[in-house]
Amino acid sequence: MSTSKTTETQNTGPASDVPENANEHCPGPESTGAGRAAGCEGCPNQEICSTQASGPDPDLSIISERLRNIRHKILILSGKGGVGKSTFTTQLAFALSSDETVDVGV
């Protein structure tokens, strides 16, 4: 299980999830300087941060638009594989679909 702390990023301003084992002056993984800033030097996460896309996901507006007319959304997630997320999702969708007045999608 990974833990994170919330901090102000140097380059983007808003709070961001920073890994708990990050350096003290970590700019944050969503910062434009992620993995390349002076505060990243020697950080165990430096390689991961420098290879990930920085900044907000450009597809967020597209996703938001597509989900706009969906009133109820349920997110099934886990930080670990093999715990039954797909099985649970399938069974939940099956149970919810027993009500013929609602549309269910996965």
Side-chain angles (χ1 to χ4, degrees):
M1 179 173 158
S2 86
T3 56
S4 62
K5 59 186 175 182
T6 301
T7 186
E8 285 292 317
T9 60
Q10 290 176 350
N11 297 329
T12 59
S16 172
D17 287 330
V18 174
E20 197 169 85
N21 63 344
N23 290 349
E24 182 179 351
H25 299 291
C26 175
E30 292 186 12
S31 166
T32 56
R36 294 179 282 284
C40 299
E41 197 64 40
C43 178
N45 305 302
Q46 185 176 13
E47 184 177 340
I48 295 168
C49 289
S50 65
T51 58
Q52 291 181 340
S54 61
D57 188 339
D59 293 330
L60 282 179
S61 60
I62 296 168
I63 295 168
S64 295
E65 179 61 30
R66 289 181 179 174
L67 295 175
R68 184 172 50 90
N69 294 324
I70 300 173
R71 194 169 20 164
H72 300 287
K73 302 159 196 78
I74 300 173
L75 182 64
I76 310 297
L77 56 89
S78 171
K80 185 175 186 321
V83 296
K85 296 176 295 289
S86 296
T87 301
F88 181 80
T89 300
T90 303
Q91 294 300 312
L92 180 62
F94 181 76
L96 292 173
S97 68
S98 65
D99 181 351
E100 294 179 9
T101 63
V102 297
D103 292 323
V104 177
V106 176

